[in-house]
Amino acid sequence: MNAPYHSTFTPSQSDPETLEDLFVAREKLAQRILDGIQESAASANKHQRLLIGPRGIGKTHLVALLHHRVRRDAELDKRLRIAWLPEDPYIAGYHNLLLLILQTLQQTYALESLRQRLEDVLDLEDANQAEPLLERLLVEFVGDKTLLLIVENLDDLLANLKETGQRKLRAFLQNHPMTTLLATATSLSEAVADRKNTFHGFFKIHSLDPFTVEDAVRLLTRMAQRAGSDDLANALCSPMGRARIRAVHYLAGGNPRIYVVFYDFLTRESLDDLVRPFMKLIDELTPYYQARMDRLAPLQRGIIDIMRRLRGAVTIKEIARQAMNTSQTISAQLGKLKDLGYVTQAAALGRSNYYELREPLMRFCLEVKEQRGRTVELFVQFLRVWYSETELARLALDGVISLEQTHLREAMQRAQSERDPVCSMLKTEFQTHQDAGDHQAALEAAELAIQRDANDKESWTYKVQCLEALGHDLEERLACWQRVAEIDPKDAIAWAWQDIILSQLGRFEGALTASVKALELDPDDPILNSNYAWNLKQLGRYAEAQAYFDKALELEGEPKTAPEWIQRGNDLWSADRPEEALHAYRKALELSPRAVDGWRYLWDLLEEQGRYRLFHRMAEQVTALLPEEPRLWFYCGIANRCLGQFEAALAAYDRALTINHDLVWRRESASLSLLHPMTLSLPGRHAAALEALEVPESSPVPASENVRFRHALAHADTLMWLDRWEEGCAELNDTLDHFAPDLWTGESLDIITKLIAGTQNPAIWRRFIAVWLELFARHERLTQLGQGLVWRIRSLTLPWISDSVARTWYDIWRELAGDLEEMALPLRLLKAGVDYKATRDPQVLLALAQEERRLLEPWLINLFREEPDEIDREMENLLHVVKQRLMQAADAELMPRAATTNAADPPAADA
Amino acid sequence: MKANPGGAVSPENVMGRDRLIERLWAALEHQSLVLVAERRMGKTCIIKKMEAQPPDGTMIRVRDVGGVSSPIEFVERVAEDVEKHLKLFQKTATKTKEFLASLSGAQILGVKLPTIAAPHWKALLERILGDLAQHSDRPVILCWDELPWMLQKMTARPEGETVVMDLLDTLRGLRQTHTNLRMIYTGSIGLHHVVTALREEGYVNSPVNDMRTVEVPPLDDGHAEALAKALIQGEGLTSGTLDKTAAIIARRVDAIPFYIHHVVAAMADRGQAATPEIAETIVAEALANAQDWDLEHFRSRLSSYYGERAEVVRALLDQLAETEPLNLDELHERLKINLSRLGASAQRMIEGDREALRTLLKLMQRDHYLCQDRDGGYRFRFGLIRRWWRLDQGFA
């Protein structure tokens, strides 16, 4: 279907319907101007409007549209006489202008009598006599109507009139207030901009802004719809369509004319037809730009030429260097060129201002002169932008030597050696969205970049950053890192991340393989060594693990900052050197008391070591010192929970959530979303716990598999406590079936603590334990159950668990599991724990084999320790130092204000 | 009424000038006028309103003579206006025609005088205005807008200063000869600048000392707010705080009509509601982009207005931008404290007699930079200019 004609270069020749259909972005402005014309026609108020904008920005389209709307309004049209002057008329002086206006009126309104009167004036021998006569004629023929005078390229017109003609024109307009002017210009000429000059302050100036990408999409979509190309319209609105238009936006500089020209390319089937329209565009614009250049002073022309050659934004200093002139001179000329609309300031970096040519079209047109049969830069750039490297290669396969192929080859060469401009642009967008916290939009930009070039590694890393921020699952993130490693097998970070994610998924063999690859690529990276050691340890290869832990520590060197000390602590802890780890964390916190990660790891270690009271004491004091930090409240909740102070634990969790709901949600591995409901059950609030577990946010995404397991377990267990026994058992069965054994250990079995803490009723204990033994055995998880039983010996410290209760606990377990081989060791250790609780006699532990004893030391002893030891003293000292540091920091903040206040105090009487 | 900064305002839409116009009519009963004001005050609107709504029987003709560049052209324009007026009364310009006939026997063709008449412009002018005065029993008022511009243009020609001196003297003579003839001079640049330049060429007369100088002030607050309100409503802008918004606009732009139009036009361009906050934002943006409102001109013209004394003027404005009002003594003291920052010529002026400073301050008042209160304290004439100066100098 043929679209109605729309002239790219002469919108005035387009039919009104086309003008309306293709008018985007400026409706408000059009209405404002139309309102002004209406008021001018209906009253003695006369509005004078000047539209400013570079060539192709849409000035003529707007003017043509307004002309059409005015003529369409019969009432308004009747009150006007419209003289739309030709775009580049011959005007040597004021009388030429008057003549032209009258001739235009004569033609528009077919006024034969006027034609004859004009002929009489032209017959005058003395041309100077014509002016007053022409003025009179114009006044006469406009009569009681209003003259709507439409003048394009007003800057050229005023320049041709010179000052004398300008003043005469202005005087005429003032003396005969019958005219409303609608004028356009590419820039503010001196006649309008300079205060001393005639038309300064005369016009209401409207600068036409370049199109945004959305405006361009709208325009091109409408063009496609008008042409009946719905497929094309949809493609333009698609994410990739928008991305391409965005890239073209750079070339177009927001110039609507360029988009219209580019539209023609979208509809062409082959490259064969592409060059000609480009050349036509260049051919038509070149004389115009050349004429504009000719109007400049030689140095100004030289500056423009330098900027064209250098292509990108340049500093004054560089231009001065190329021009072999002073920066002061160049700066002054650039100011003038900026006022005239030739250049624009692109950026200011530090003390340097960067300038570039305002109109990319101008640069291309001026370049054509130099190209002379070589490639047209604009066209090559278009090809680079529009087609990906793959698509260019495919197009090039149809090899026929022609001008088009020359451009295609050039574009392909550039594609291989230069960055893909669309990808670059999308990555910039990604960064912008990322900085603004809009991770979804950032993800879309990253995915478009991948769509454009699936082998661009950076785009994949951007994508995975977004997936993490948006909480997408671990498998998806793993896939991205695997792709990065496929593209670049030498990317150690990609392998390292695979290692981390696989660990979280409980796939330790895979994690080990990934960490081996990472280490091979960077054997001297301490973190990679540490990760590798960790994986070895997970797989029971302790001796090897130790060697790599030692290597990691050696490679790290002496830590200097708090984060480095924290990392050192983590590595020492992984290397089973907990006391040294504690020292490292202490050093970190002395350097930076507000390093929350430091507190986290320190307290995790103290918890593991069974130092519950110390953990609790420290958490209480630190939250008092830093009450604004939500994560500290979270840990304080854990500390309270360890000591059986469940209400206090819940209060602390609530406090953390009050301060920052979102922060706590995402960051904690054993997240608050799980601990909160689990803690609710401990004082027996099972219904509330179930409700909390069933809130969507309580199932954190992405959780590690371990956390998911614990969540499922807690849910099943809570159902059982609520006497939805069958349902709960079925869920427990499914949970044990679903989650692989590798990703959870007995440590995850909070249900054991809940049983001993929640009731001292042996009948209930029996009921639960019996089911557990049955289901864990069914799924071959008795080893883990045993591990959990041993880990939960810690529950024996709860204040209400007396020695006899502890004894009963052991007895029931022994009764039900005594004949199970897998439970033999755990039962022995449980007995030792119960005996130690009752006697506090180290001999109890000595009765165990050495390797068995190691499983209980030192934490069992720490659990029941009454007297402070070296670690207690060290931690007290740490608290003291931290308090001092925080107080000093607070004082330092207050001091300037105190100094100012003191300055206002009157001197002492005896000073 | 829509906001129309820079455009022609219909006489019936000119607000807040009735009392001033009454004063002008009253003054014109007895003498001619020179209308002075800073640009943008609306002088042209006032004289157009006077032309559209004269008292009964009064003839007034307003003409923009900015396009005129020679005395004969000026005479042609005057002749045109006189011809129109006389036709109205079915009279003829007898003396003029006789004179022309005596030159060449040529008839007036349209309003273009024959070339031969050019050297005799003075005689022609006298006869044309003589005809006019003769046939009018009530004052006839000719108002020439942009007259200083015209005179400046004429002085650029060879021997132009002599011609301009002659023209001004001729006009003065005509006013004294024909007591029913009144003239109003007005324009974008002050006539005193033209006269000052002529004095440097030896001109000793006082061409306007028979004319009363009337300054066109900004609107009073009530009318400024009324104008703002009318424009907001005319633009169809929604406003839940119309009175407050109008008051803010009026206050922030010192009740200068052009800027009131500008602010409302800017609001309409944005298509937002009219609120005090948006008004404040628009004014703040305009102060930051001084070119839009022509504010930079207040600094850039200092050299041409004050020559060597421009540095002292800048220093005085800096002081008042920081603190105002300040009286002469205080200003003098402050300048002396900061003497070392000034050039030699400025230093000499400040260290010398205080009278030079006083004279300069008077000139600055005349050029609308400053005004003086009852206690003798000087301050910026327009708060808008002061705010811009502070911003530009980095005081804000």
Side-chain angles (χ1 to χ4, degrees):
Chain A
M1 169 179 152
N2 288 329
Y5 176 70
H6 176 66
S7 169
T8 308
F9 294 95
T10 321
S12 54
Q13 293 179 10
S14 296
D15 65 279
E17 195 190 325
T18 304
L19 287 174
E20 290 283 359
D21 274 353
L22 300 185
F23 185 64
V24 299
R26 294 173 179 148
E27 182 53 45
K28 209 191 299 182
L29 173 61
Q31 194 53 51
R32 289 266 300 140
I33 297 173
L34 193 59
D35 289 346
I37 294 173
Q38 279 167 339
E39 187 175 60
S40 301
S43 73
N45 291 329
K46 304 296 178 211
H47 293 260
Q48 319 297 351
R49 309 273 188 172
L50 175 60
L51 308 177
I52 298 285
R55 196 86 164 173
I57 202 72
K59 301 186 295 296
T60 304
H61 189 137
L62 176 53
V63 162
L65 180 92
L66 285 165
H67 177 256
H68 147 66
R69 287 185 182 178
V70 163
R71 298 306 316 252
R72 186 176 63 185
D73 183 340
E75 202 46 52
L76 177 58
D77 191 42
K78 214 164 48 176
R79 294 183 188 205
L80 293 170
R81 282 284 181 253
I82 304 172
W84 186 354
L85 302 187
E87 207 175 321
D88 289 311
Y90 167 71
I91 303 280
Y94 176 57
H95 54 281
N96 294 122
L97 174 62
L98 289 171
L99 183 63
L100 181 63
I101 295 171
L102 284 160
Q103 285 171 336
T104 307
L105 284 173
Q106 188 274 312
Q107 283 157 19
T108 306
Y109 296 97
L111 301 166
E112 180 55 31
S113 58
L114 177 56
R115 190 190 65 77
Q116 192 53 55
R117 302 268 298 269
L118 283 174
E119 290 294 324
D120 292 341
V121 173
L122 290 173
D123 286 337
L124 287 174
E125 283 182 9
D126 184 355
N128 285 333
Q129 295 199 354
E131 262 175 33
L133 289 175
L134 289 169
E135 283 184 350
R136 275 196 169 176
L137 264 181
L138 185 53
V139 171
E140 186 186 321
F141 273 89
V142 171
D144 60 358
K145 300 187 196 303
T146 296
L147 173 64
L148 170 57
L149 184 59
I150 302 177
V151 179
E152 296 189 78
N153 296 324
L154 179 75
D155 40 355
D156 292 342
L157 174 74
L158 293 179
N160 289 338
L161 285 178
K162 300 195 174 45
E163 194 189 348
T164 308
Q166 289 169 23
R167 289 198 177 179
K168 287 180 180 179
L169 174 61
R170 191 171 190 275
F172 174 78
L173 294 171
Q174 294 286 73
N175 291 327
H176 306 282
M178 64 182 192
T179 307
T180 175
L181 261 160
L182 174 58
T184 73
T186 51
S187 60
L188 279 180
S189 62
E190 282 183 14
V192 176
D194 195 321
R195 193 193 195 274
K196 295 190 296 296
N197 289 341
T198 317
F199 282 94
H200 179 78
F202 187 81
F203 293 97
K204 173 76 176 77
I205 295 169
H206 301 277
S207 292
L208 298 192
D209 293 329
F211 270 16
T212 62
V213 173
E214 286 309 313
D215 295 335
V217 170
R218 217 170 291 132
L219 172 64
L220 294 172
T221 307
R222 285 201 193 171
M223 291 183 78
Q225 285 166 342
R226 279 184 61 79
S229 306
D230 287 337
D231 286 346
L232 180 58
N234 287 335
L236 288 168
C237 290
S238 70
M240 184 46 86
R242 289 180 127 83
R244 278 174 155 176
I245 293 172
R246 210 172 284 124
V248 168
H249 184 69
Y250 152 72
L251 291 178
N255 188 309
R257 181 172 291 164
I258 305 280
Y259 291 119
V260 173
V261 171
F262 278 140
Y263 172 80
D264 290 339
F265 301 145
L266 303 179
T267 58
R268 292 180 196 280
E269 295 292 324
S270 74
L271 279 180
D272 290 344
D273 297 323
L274 286 178
V275 174
R276 232 171 294 124
F278 262 116
M279 300 313 294
K280 183 167 180 270
L281 168 71
I282 303 299
D283 282 345
E284 295 204 21
L285 289 174
T286 299
Y288 168 76
Y289 284 120
Q290 203 51 58
R292 285 188 67 193
M293 285 286 278
D294 289 343
R295 234 183 266 147
L296 297 175
L299 178 56
Q300 290 171 342
R301 279 206 297 277
I303 292 171
I304 297 287
D305 199 53
I306 289 165
M307 292 174 80
R308 177 195 63 74
R309 271 193 297 104
L310 296 178
R311 294 175 97 217
V314 285
T315 59
I316 294 172
K317 195 173 163 190
E318 181 56 28
I319 299 172
R321 191 175 78 87
Q322 298 267 346
M324 295 170 74
N325 209 314
T326 66
S327 291
Q328 288 86 343
T329 306
I330 297 299
S331 177
Q333 293 304 322
L334 272 173
K336 289 183 186 169
L337 286 170
K338 190 163 168 247
D339 289 342
L340 292 171
Y342 285 82
V343 306
T344 183
Q345 190 173 325
L349 295 176
R351 298 173 73 174
S352 297
N353 290 330
Y354 286 73
Y355 291 87
E356 60 188 357
L357 292 179
R358 189 174 167 204
E359 298 181 57
L361 263 185
M362 182 179 188
R363 176 159 58 80
F364 295 133
C365 290
L366 295 177
E367 275 175 352
V368 161
K369 282 183 62 184
E370 292 202 0
Q371 297 292 336
R372 296 190 194 284
R374 290 186 287 142
T375 54
V376 177
E377 179 60 26
L378 174 63
F379 187 45
V380 171
Q381 288 219 23
F382 167 71
L383 289 173
R384 276 287 289 124
V385 156
W386 201 256
Y387 299 107
S388 67
E389 192 179 336
T390 318
E391 286 165 326
L392 284 172
R394 202 175 57 240
L395 287 166
L397 283 176
D398 308 328
V400 174
I401 303 299
S402 69
L403 187 58
E404 291 77 14
Q405 289 299 321
T406 311
H407 289 91
L408 190 53
R409 273 201 295 277
E410 172 88 20
M412 275 186 61
Q413 268 168 18
R414 299 243 192 121
Q416 278 151 12
S417 60
E418 291 172 2
R419 296 173 71 118
D420 184 321
V422 175
C423 270
S424 298
M425 179 211 67
L426 286 167
K427 284 177 201 175
T428 304
E429 264 196 37
F430 161 83
Q431 207 54 61
T432 305
H433 291 308
Q434 190 84 321
D435 292 343
D438 187 352
H439 301 293
Q440 188 58 47
L443 178 62
E444 284 167 16
E447 284 179 335
L448 279 175
I450 290 170
Q451 207 177 326
R452 173 78 174 185
D453 184 359
N455 292 327
D456 182 67
K457 184 175 87 164
E458 203 176 28
S459 304
W460 285 99
T461 61
Y462 285 172
K463 178 174 175 177
V464 77
Q465 282 178 44
C466 298
L467 292 177
E468 186 175 351
L470 289 166
H472 284 227
D473 69 55
L474 293 166
E475 289 287 357
E476 217 180 322
R477 286 156 55 188
L478 179 64
C480 287
W481 284 118
Q482 284 168 339
R483 184 78 185 101
V484 172
E486 266 173 37
I487 295 168
D488 182 5
K490 293 201 167 104
D491 190 325
I493 294 186
W495 292 110
W497 271 107
Q498 286 182 65
D499 162 20
I500 291 167
I501 295 174
L502 285 163
S503 293
Q504 287 184 285
L505 289 168
R507 282 141 58 175
F508 296 114
E509 289 287 353
L512 185 72
T513 307
S515 66
V516 161
K517 293 258 200 246
L519 198 57
E520 276 168 6
L521 291 166
D522 195 352
D524 293 331
D525 184 298
I527 294 179
L528 297 180
N529 277 276
S530 178
N531 288 351
Y532 182 56
W534 175 260
N535 287 323
L536 287 169
K537 187 177 166 187
Q538 293 299 112
L539 292 167
R541 290 157 64 175
Y542 299 113
E544 291 172 80
Q546 194 58 52
Y548 280 96
F549 276 130
D550 290 341
K551 188 177 174 194
L553 289 167
E554 196 187 309
L555 286 168
E556 271 171 17
E558 182 71 8
K560 292 188 179 46
T561 64
E564 285 173 3
W565 277 110
I566 293 172
Q567 184 60 47
R568 171 59 62 92
N570 290 348
D571 291 339
L572 287 165
W573 190 1
S574 301
D576 292 327
R577 288 150 70 172
E579 280 199 18
E580 290 173 77
L582 274 174
H583 298 325
Y585 293 139
R586 176 178 60 81
K587 281 214 177 347
L589 291 163
E590 281 173 355
L591 282 173
S592 176
R594 290 178 183 272
V596 177
D597 276 343
W599 293 112
R600 169 199 171 179
Y601 291 120
L602 172 68
W603 291 338
D604 272 351
L605 185 50
L606 291 178
E607 189 191 352
E608 190 193 71
Q609 297 279 299
R611 291 180 182 270
Y612 287 177
R613 278 185 288 275
L614 175 58
F615 174 19
H616 179 260
R617 206 160 55 244
M618 292 185 82
E620 295 264 294
Q621 288 186 50
V622 173
T623 47
L625 290 170
L626 298 170
E628 71 283 0
E629 180 48 65
R631 289 165 68 193
L632 294 176
W633 284 103
F634 168 58
Y635 302 133
C636 189
I638 295 174
N640 275 290
R641 190 169 184 269
C642 289
L643 292 179
Q645 291 167 194
F646 302 128
E647 293 298 339
L650 287 167
Y653 295 149
D654 286 340
R655 181 77 180 262
L657 281 171
T658 305
I659 297 170
N660 190 333
H661 180 90
D662 205 46
L663 177 70
V664 180
W665 221 246
R666 294 224 179 271
R667 297 278 176 90
E668 305 312 308
S669 56
S671 67
L672 183 56
S673 61
L674 188 59
L675 278 177
H676 190 269
M678 281 165 58
T679 309
L680 273 172
S681 340
L682 286 166
R685 283 144 63 177
H686 304 295
L690 186 69
E691 198 180 310
L693 282 166
E694 288 178 349
V695 165
E697 291 83 3
S698 76
S699 181
V701 173
S704 62
E705 289 298 286
N706 180 277
V707 171
R708 287 174 190 268
F709 168 76
R710 290 170 68 187
H711 186 272
L713 199 67
H715 192 266
D717 188 63
T718 308
L719 287 173
M720 291 161 74
W721 278 96
L722 285 167
D723 219 13
R724 287 160 65 176
W725 190 258
E726 296 303 326
E727 200 183 337
C729 290
E731 209 170 289
L732 177 57
N733 182 57
D734 290 341
T735 302
L736 291 171
D737 185 43
H738 174 80
F739 287 91
D742 289 345
L743 53 84
W744 60 275
T745 64
E747 230 180 285
S748 310
L749 297 177
D750 308 286
I751 54 176
I752 299 175
T753 298
K754 193 164 148 190
L755 184 61
I756 187 173
T759 182
Q760 280 79 61
N761 185 333
I764 297 175
W765 288 357
R766 278 199 182 83
R767 199 179 179 208
F768 273 86
I769 294 170
V771 164
W772 292 346
L773 288 168
E774 182 199 333
L775 292 178
F776 277 74
R778 185 187 299 172
H779 294 284
E780 294 175 4
R781 305 283 191 264
L782 278 176
T783 307
Q784 284 85 352
L785 181 62
Q787 281 174 351
L789 183 61
V790 171
W791 181 268
R792 301 292 156 175
I793 291 172
R794 296 154 190 271
S795 309
L796 298 181
T797 60
L798 291 172
W800 58 90
I801 306 295
S802 63
D803 293 346
S804 67
V805 169
R807 183 71 51 191
T808 308
W809 174 252
Y810 166 70
D811 288 340
I812 290 177
W813 273 99
R814 185 160 174 269
E815 176 193 323
L816 296 172
D819 56 354
L820 296 170
E821 192 186 326
E822 297 94 329
M823 296 300 289
L825 173 58
L827 285 172
R828 268 205 307 284
L829 295 175
L830 176 59
K831 183 174 184 301
V834 168
D835 288 344
Y836 187 81
K837 175 183 163 64
T839 63
R840 310 294 163 94
D841 183 357
Q843 295 245 347
V844 166
L845 297 175
L846 287 172
L848 295 168
Q850 192 186 59
E851 64 278 9
E852 292 176 359
R853 196 162 61 241
R854 232 183 279 138
L855 293 172
L856 295 178
E857 286 174 340
W859 57 270
L860 181 63
I861 297 168
N862 288 333
L863 276 175
F864 296 104
R865 185 192 298 281
E866 300 284 348
E867 295 297 319
D869 64 359
E870 200 50 49
I871 299 291
D872 289 287
R873 282 189 281 279
E874 191 179 337
M875 293 298 111
E876 285 300 329
N877 193 45
L878 169 62
L879 284 173
H880 178 71
V881 168
V882 161
K883 264 185 221 162
Q884 272 193 325
R885 292 263 155 89
L886 289 172
M887 273 170 54
Q888 280 166 5
D891 287 343
E893 263 184 61
L894 284 169
M895 263 200 13
R897 288 202 292 276
T900 308
T901 308
N902 288 338
D905 291 342
D910 58 353
Chain B
M1 173 171 57
K2 301 229 178 265
N4 189 5
V9 178
S10 163
E12 57 262 24
N13 289 142
V14 174
M15 295 176 73
R17 298 303 195 187
D18 290 346
R19 197 182 301 177
L20 172 63
I21 290 174
E22 276 173 27
R23 276 178 51 211
L24 296 178
W25 285 128
L28 283 166
E29 290 281 326
H30 308 289
Q31 67 188 128
S32 295
L33 300 176
V34 177
L35 272 189
V36 298
E38 193 43 65
R39 214 170 169 177
R40 308 292 176 229
M41 284 304 157
K43 296 187 291 297
T44 303
C45 286
I46 288 169
I47 56 180
K48 289 287 190 184
K49 190 172 171 75
M50 291 173 73
E51 185 183 33
Q53 299 162 359
D56 288 338
T58 302
M59 177 263 181
I60 175 168
R61 182 81 179 104
V62 173
R63 179 174 281 277
D64 185 317
V65 293
V68 171
S69 52
S70 70
I72 192 65
E73 220 183 313
F74 176 68
V75 173
E76 285 167 358
R77 294 292 166 262
V78 173
E80 204 179 303
D81 291 334
V82 168
E83 181 79 2
K84 214 177 275 181
H85 172 70
L86 291 182
K87 266 192 184 151
L88 209 57
F89 295 97
Q90 311 273 313
K91 311 285 185 194
T92 52
T94 319
K95 288 186 192 161
T96 309
K97 286 192 169 138
E98 282 169 2
F99 181 74
L100 278 173
S102 75
L103 285 181
S104 68
Q107 297 290 319
I108 297 178
L109 181 68
V111 291
K112 191 68 188 171
L113 294 168
T115 321
I116 197 171
H120 307 280
W121 63 267
K122 195 161 128 181
L124 264 171
L125 184 61
E126 286 167 344
R127 278 157 180 77
I128 289 168
L129 290 180
D131 278 336
L132 178 67
Q134 184 191 348
H135 293 294
S136 304
D137 50 7
R138 296 216 50 181
V140 176
I141 304 163
L142 295 171
C143 177
W144 295 310
D145 198 6
E146 307 298 358
L147 181 83
W149 231 352
M150 179 190 84
L151 299 175
Q152 254 190 356
K153 190 97 175 109
M154 288 183 187
T155 57
R157 291 177 159 224
E159 298 188 2
E161 289 95 351
T162 312
V163 166
V164 167
M165 291 180 207
D166 223 352
L167 176 60
L168 286 170
D169 290 342
T170 302
L171 291 171
R172 187 174 191 281
L174 283 164
R175 290 194 296 273
Q176 288 174 337
T177 304
H178 304 287
T179 55
N180 62 340
L181 188 62
R182 300 282 184 269
M183 298 171 192
I184 303 177
Y185 296 170
T186 186
S188 307
I189 61 169
L191 186 62
H192 61 276
H193 288 288
V194 176
V195 175
T196 303
L198 292 178
R199 292 216 191 289
E200 285 164 16
E201 298 301 319
Y203 185 57
V204 297
N205 294 344
S206 302
V208 297
N209 67 354
D210 63 316
M211 301 171 82
R212 185 160 156 195
T213 299
V214 177
E215 183 176 343
V216 175
L219 297 174
D220 61 60
D221 288 346
H223 284 114
E225 288 176 30
L227 173 61
K229 229 195 270 193
L231 292 174
I232 291 169
Q233 287 168 327
E235 288 290 352
L237 295 171
T238 54
S239 180
T241 52
L242 182 59
D243 287 346
K244 193 169 172 202
T245 305
I248 289 286
I249 292 172
R251 201 154 53 235
R252 289 289 175 264
V253 300
D254 296 311
I256 298 173
F258 173 80
Y259 294 128
I260 295 173
H261 276 264
H262 239 292
V263 172
V264 179
M267 279 180 174
D269 285 345
R270 291 172 194 220
Q272 296 165 320
T275 67
E277 293 73 27
I278 291 172
E280 297 269 21
T281 302
I282 290 170
V283 173
E285 285 171 5
L287 289 177
N289 295 306
Q291 197 61 32
D292 292 350
W293 278 12
D294 200 22
L295 299 170
E296 180 57 39
H297 168 73
F298 284 92
R299 183 199 304 285
S300 61
R301 70 186 187 184
L302 291 178
S303 297
S304 67
Y305 275 25
Y306 301 106
E308 266 189 350
R309 296 173 295 181
E311 196 183 2
V312 179
V313 170
R314 273 190 283 273
L316 286 165
L317 292 172
D318 283 349
Q319 290 302 329
L320 290 168
E322 262 195 287
T323 314
E324 66 172 18
L326 294 170
N327 61 31
L328 175 61
D329 286 337
E330 287 162 335
L331 279 168
H332 197 208
E333 248 346 278
R334 284 171 184 245
L335 289 181
K336 282 202 289 195
I337 289 168
N338 293 298
L339 201 65
S340 57
R341 293 186 196 170
L342 301 173
S345 169
Q347 287 186 13
R348 274 197 301 277
M349 185 180 166
I350 292 162
E351 281 167 337
D353 193 336
R354 234 176 41 158
E355 283 310 301
L357 199 61
R358 188 199 302 277
T359 306
L360 188 58
L361 287 165
K362 293 290 176 219
L363 285 174
M364 290 170 74
Q365 283 181 266
R366 188 197 56 195
D367 290 324
H368 311 114
Y369 284 94
L370 304 179
C371 60
Q372 197 177 18
D373 60 30
R374 278 182 214 168
D375 300 320
Y378 291 95
R379 59 172 74 239
F380 271 79
R381 174 76 173 84
F382 298 113
L384 186 70
I385 308 305
R386 180 170 185 257
R387 282 203 303 282
W388 167 72
W389 195 276
R390 284 177 60 84
L391 192 69
D392 204 51
Q393 291 293 85
F395 293 153

